[in-house]
Amino acid sequence: MRKFAEDFAAQSRVVGALLIREIYTRFGREGLGFAWIVGEPLIFAIPVLLTWSVVRGSSEHGVPMMSFLWTGYLPLLMFRHVGGRMLMFVRVNAGLLYHRQVTIFDIFLARCLLEVVSSLTAVLVSGVLFYSLGMMDLPRDLPMFYLGYLYMIWWCAVIGLIIGAFSERTDWAEKIWQPYSYLYIFFGGVFFMAAWLPESLRGWALLQPSVQAYELIRAGMFGSAVRTYGDLGYETTALAVLTLIGLLLMRDARKYVIAE
Amino acid sequence: MIRAVQITKEYRTEGRVHRALSGVSFSVAKGEKLAVLGRNGAGKSTLIRLLGGVELPTGGFIEQTMSSSWPLGLTGGFQGSLTGNDNMRFIARIYNKPFDEIKAYVEDFAELGKYLSEPVKIYSLGMRARFAFALSLAIDFDCYLIDEIIAAGDQRFQRRSHEELFEKRADRSLILASHMGDFIKAYCSRAIVLHHGRGNLFDDIDLALQVYNDL
């Protein structure tokens, strides 16, 4: 138990140090540096959401448009940022592996954590902004909303884990990621709810952990005003299996690392 | 003690397998100084990287009961876009050492002055060598893995490295890849000569250097 506590403290220290280093190298040390962590996703989110809500009217299938887009687009940003940042994440950081206590899993954790925190802050800031401008209501069922986001974070982290580990082994990972992360906008659940799909497609769509997480988030956002199809048992099992696959791939990826 | 048992390292390039090391075994006891000799491309740096845990061997294993530095060479170990100070902060954090002590030691030993607040990528090779070496001495290891780095420094740096490493820390181990015959003769008691991926151990440094020169 004591050994575990020591290991945990050591690993937190390494991940913390990597996190600070990541912030310095990506955003610089001066001026706006740190604010960019939040600013970057907001620059994507706000114009896109405003334009769409104007173009597409005030509601869709009876749900308020702005709330719907907000629950769809911000998790999409998280997905694309976490996944994109993990492409060849070991190769570009190989210099760090000169230090024995830094494992590739620590590098993964630090990068993933930074992207997730940055995305969640953008969710918070844009949410408060749209709410205070009267463009959006607060989530009706907050615990459900949080739970949905928890699963969404898990899903994004798992994709990062798999794409990151896979990209160290073969260049195909990048070739697959580009179309997948684009097509995901259409089939990943970003802009539809399971209830809007014909029954023949719904079952297929719900096989995706992302669609499941979106259902949970929207159940939290709209409460009983909409019918949702989230299945916690399936979602947990699916993500647990994918996590296991990701961890196995990650353990294997270390063998492929060639330092400078 | 560091013990390498039958280590093999293969790299896959353009579909072909290149075997850099093939069944290399040796051990280094506490306080012992081992030279690694071999022509360019013989696998010296590969061996040092494997010992430092930067890369994993394809076959065989490495056992360690003493702490060893990261490979001190002309590349690796630092983030070029960060300043010397930020690199020091990062390393102090991961090795769990107080930053102020590390900084004081590095400032004194490396004599980089205001360059410590400049990005490491603008450092000359000699400055990089001084910085890496100072930092690893400040962290304090049982065994130092050195890949040709001392040669990059100037006379004064070489003299001071000598004091720090061979006088004040005479009880530490050293694994040193180098082409400098005189230097190796002065400090190392044993040598391993790498050729075509194989390693031959010599307890007689003169003999080792002679074999190396005849390669």
Side-chain angles (χ1 to χ4, degrees):
Chain A
M1 197 60 205
R2 187 139 141 244
K3 172 95 175 74
F4 177 78
E6 277 169 20
D7 286 352
F8 184 77
Q11 197 182 19
S12 321
R13 208 174 52 236
V14 171
V15 173
L18 287 168
L19 206 58
I20 295 169
R21 172 189 163 281
E22 183 83 9
I23 293 171
Y24 285 170
T25 46
R26 268 186 70 194
F27 304 102
R29 290 206 64 176
E30 281 121 34
L32 271 177
F34 201 76
W36 268 125
I37 296 169
V38 187
E40 211 177 49
L42 279 178
I43 288 171
F44 281 101
I46 291 176
V48 169
L49 292 183
L50 286 176
T51 314
W52 283 16
S53 65
V54 170
V55 171
R56 298 184 66 176
S58 62
S59 75
E60 175 136 353
H61 291 79
V63 299
M65 179 58 83
M66 194 55 169
S67 312
F68 177 69
L69 291 175
W70 182 71
T71 55
Y73 190 67
L74 282 140
L76 171 68
L77 279 182
M78 179 157 73
F79 170 83
R80 296 187 66 144
H81 284 184
V82 172
R85 291 290 295 167
M86 289 311 159
L87 279 172
M88 290 179 257
F89 78 108
V90 182
R91 249 176 273 184
V92 300
N93 280 304
L96 286 173
L97 295 172
Y98 269 66
H99 305 287
R100 216 178 268 282
Q101 42 283 81
V102 178
T103 66
I104 60 174
F105 191 67
D106 295 328
I107 303 175
F108 162 76
L109 271 185
R111 285 205 148 189
C112 192
L113 214 59
L114 186 63
E115 290 307 326
V116 167
V117 167
S118 145
S119 303
L120 291 184
T121 320
V123 171
L124 187 72
V125 173
S126 59
V128 168
L129 181 77
F130 295 140
Y131 172 72
S132 56
L133 290 174
M135 300 170 78
M136 202 177 80
D137 288 331
L138 288 181
R140 297 258 177 90
D141 179 352
L142 263 180
M144 180 58 96
F145 181 78
Y146 290 145
L147 187 70
Y149 252 100
L150 219 56
Y151 277 98
M152 186 56 86
I153 293 167
W154 188 5
W155 157 248
C156 293
V158 157
I159 277 297
L161 193 64
I162 293 175
I163 203 82
F166 198 47
S167 68
E168 291 301 326
R169 176 194 287 247
T170 159
D171 293 337
W172 279 99
E174 197 177 2
K175 295 189 173 74
I176 293 166
W177 170 251
Q178 299 301 349
Y180 175 65
S181 65
Y182 186 73
L183 292 172
Y184 177 88
I185 302 174
F186 301 102
F187 60 65
V190 184
F191 297 129
F192 65 80
M193 290 179 63
W196 307 349
L197 298 174
E199 217 161 315
S200 54
L201 281 178
R202 190 180 298 144
W204 290 105
L206 284 165
L207 286 176
Q208 298 174 82
S210 62
V211 174
Q212 293 278 348
Y214 271 121
E215 289 293 297
L216 297 173
I217 291 176
R218 282 165 179 151
M221 190 69 195
F222 304 116
S224 52
V226 295
R227 169 126 175 65
T228 55
Y229 291 84
D231 176 349
L232 279 180
Y234 171 79
E235 175 76 337
T236 310
T237 316
L239 288 178
V241 170
L242 289 175
T243 306
L244 193 67
I245 294 171
L247 288 173
L248 289 173
L249 279 171
M250 186 71 99
R251 193 182 60 175
D252 203 41
R254 188 67 175 87
K255 281 191 284 198
Y256 295 87
V257 174
I258 298 173
E260 297 170 45
Chain B
M1 168 103 148
I2 293 177
R3 195 160 75 100
V5 181
Q6 288 293 320
I7 51 174
T8 297
K9 181 67 182 176
E10 289 172 353
Y11 293 103
R12 206 172 291 272
T13 43
E14 291 164 12
R16 268 203 298 270
V17 174
H18 164 68
R19 184 169 271 214
L21 294 172
S22 160
V24 174
S25 299
F26 61 91
S27 67
V28 174
K30 183 133 191 182
E32 209 174 341
K33 274 111 177 134
L34 176 79
V36 182
L37 293 167
R39 293 170 56 183
N40 290 330
K44 300 188 296 296
S45 297
T46 301
L47 181 62
I48 299 265
R49 281 203 300 271
L50 293 176
L51 293 172
V54 181
E55 290 174 24
L56 302 181
T58 315
F61 60 92
I62 295 163
E63 252 178 20
Q64 248 175 318
T65 54
M66 59 185 175
S67 71
S68 70
S69 73
W70 68 91
L72 302 169
L74 295 174
T75 56
F78 301 114
Q79 174 78 28
S81 61
L82 292 184
T83 65
N85 279 319
D86 281 341
N87 271 293
M88 265 197 276
R89 271 192 198 95
F90 175 72
I91 284 172
R93 277 189 200 108
I94 61 172
Y95 287 92
N96 204 17
K97 299 276 176 185
F99 173 66
D100 296 336
E101 275 174 36
I102 303 273
K103 186 177 161 76
Y105 186 89
V106 172
E107 275 176 346
D108 175 60
F109 186 84
E111 300 177 329
L112 288 166
K114 64 175 171 45
Y115 279 105
L116 284 178
S117 28
E118 300 285 340
V120 167
K121 65 179 168 209
I122 72 158
Y123 290 12
S124 69
L125 285 184
M127 286 161 70
R128 249 185 115 90
R130 270 160 30 210
F131 184 61
F133 207 60
L135 200 45
S136 69
L137 288 172
I139 304 283
D140 207 25
F141 296 100
D142 294 330
C143 178
Y144 286 85
L145 305 172
I146 300 178
D147 189 2
E148 276 294 6
I149 199 174
I150 295 177
D154 54 22
Q155 285 288 322
R156 180 177 157 78
F157 165 71
Q158 294 195 11
R159 199 171 59 242
R160 292 195 69 187
S161 309
H162 170 100
E163 272 170 41
E164 290 289 329
L165 199 55
F166 298 102
E167 291 169 14
K168 292 188 193 163
R169 291 176 181 74
D171 59 331
R172 305 306 158 86
S173 310
L174 194 66
I175 298 176
L176 174 82
S178 179
H179 294 287
M180 300 191 296
D182 293 342
F183 191 81
I184 286 171
K185 221 186 267 185
Y187 300 115
C188 297
S189 47
R190 295 167 71 211
I192 182 163
V193 179
L194 296 176
H195 190 54
H196 293 317
R198 300 263 169 200
N200 278 317
L201 265 175
F202 293 89
D203 287 323
D204 179 344
I205 285 289
D206 289 319
L207 185 60
L209 283 168
Q210 199 185 328
V211 168
Y212 164 63
N213 286 328
D214 291 343
L215 285 178

